[in-house]
Amino acid sequence: MTSEESVLAAVPKQLYIGGKWIDASGGATFEVEDPATGKALCSVADATADDARAALDAAVAAQAGWAATPPNERSEILHRAFLALGEQAEELALLMTLEMGKAVAESKGELAYAAEFFRWFSGEALRLDGYYKTTGNGASRVLVMRQPVGPCYFITPWNFPNAMGTRKIGPAIAAGCTMVVKPAQQTPLSMLALAKLLEECGLPPGVLNVITATGSGAVSEPIISDPRLRKLSFTGSTPVGKKLIAQAADQVLRVSMELGGNAPFLVFADADLDAAVDGAMLAKMRNMGEACTSANRFHVHESVADEFAAKLAARMGALTVGRGTESGTDVGPMIDAAQQDKVAELVDDAVAKGATVVTGGSKGDGEGYFYAPTVLTGVPQDAAVLNEEIFGPVAPIATFSTDEEAIAAANRTEYGLVAYVFTRDLQRAFRVCEALETGMIGLNQGIVSNAGAPFGGVKQSGTGREGGNEGIAEYLDTKYVAINVGS
Ligand code: NAP
């Protein structure tokens, strides 16, 4: 057996409900595809609405026991899972690359990031607290306690198949919440493998339930409309997020929404250009540009734009595109044909409107959904590539002449997830950071993702924070007891 065959053989292909691995109630399955070849890797269970209800039943049944489980135990399970993710990184990275496409080194990077959420929240499980105080008039006391929200439903995307799960699963376990998870249909295997790992680390039956499905709306609706559900956390596109918020309104569910982005990358005239190019490579090319945090558009001061573009194009053009499992590959395929077509259309639209292709600008010509790392200059403001989330390895560069112009261009979007700012002027750095309408900023660095920091957006990039001191609060309700202590 090759190593690819053995990791595929080892991963469960069934639904994980109430601690049991079971087939979908109708017996249906669907194929998982390798985006580097377009060929099927294996098939997994295709859940029905009845399976979704059964998964929620299991989460509800486990809730009271899990909430009563000592924090030490919840913390230790998370810590074991943190260690196990490190121990199994080789196999899990290969599995992720097979279904998602990114280079194995990047899959390992995602697994390390994913594991950090388990480490972080294993600590947070021990720090759940409340407070006690005397009211202002001295007549009574205030006792504030934090309690688990209750059964949660998590919907995750394909671009970070493990990390987008651990950012939700970690705090839910720490807080004492049970959950149903539905991964994206393109990448169910990594989540199934994660469920198996958590099972092996001692997570009790019913705390985590995983359903894989092609009918995402059909399995989600019965869960979201069930009055026993208490929270919905979604990572994915803004249009789907809006639909889910509308569905969640009926039950006044607590929601966390990690949605799309359109990150501006600002390079000021005083920036260290080599550092800016290093940052640009990280911010643009992490995950082949298929990241919500991906630098979507580069606004560069007119005095340094040509030099920045030439340096970035040299680095982008030198990247090796290929199957993520092959050593030496930097850039894997897009997730599917639709994403590859979308990237091509955005580039073609920009070129039709006057942009110049400095490097790249074309699809791969063999099998798989490849697109060449691309740098565009002279991109006009009305080009779709500056206004829509690209989700591909394309760096469009536009110029500005004043700070005010740069800030206005950066904020000219309905999104507000992250921005990147490169400048050596401290006062400018703070002025610009204050003026940007985003939840996160990379100041002279091209990556913001960190389990110990609050990840999330403003505007139509979402609501709620994952990780950091804020992350656990999304899974806790505050209860206050007014106490009459007599006189
Ligand atoms: P997507 O199409 O919105 O799908 C995300 C998840 O939602 C998938 O599991 C999908 O299932 C499910 N889904 C789709 N329609 C649904 C419905 N009507 N009801 C319930 N679930 C539904 O997004 P994507 O293409 O997978 O991911 C890319 C997007 O995610 C980008 O916009 C990116 O910016 C965003 N993202 C945001 C963050 C963040 O933290 N802010 C992080 C990563 C990604 P199926 O697979 O079955 O369609």
Side-chain angles (χ1 to χ4, degrees), residues 155-160 164 167 182-186 213-217 220 234-238 240-241 243-244 247 258-261 291-292 389 391 417 455 461 466:
I155 304 174
T156 57
W158 49 263
N159 62 341
F160 291 99
M164 298 304 101
R167 293 205 302 197
K182 192 209 78 65
Q185 60 186 285
Q186 288 103 328
T214 49
S216 50
S220 297
F234 170 74
T235 298
S237 63
T238 296
V240 173
K243 270 193 219 166
L244 293 170
Q247 286 179 39
E258 297 289 349
L259 307 178
C292 54
E389 191 174 30
F391 246 53
L417 190 62
F455 188 105
S461 287
E466 292 188 323

Side-chain angles (χ1 to χ4, degrees), residues 168-179:
K168 303 179 194 303
I169 295 168
I173 289 177
C177 298
T178 60
M179 67 210 91

Side-chain angles (χ1 to χ4, degrees), residues 84-98:
L85 272 171
E87 286 153 12
Q88 298 178 27
E90 289 290 332
E91 299 79 15
L92 292 174
L94 180 55
L95 183 69
M96 188 186 291
T97 292
L98 286 172

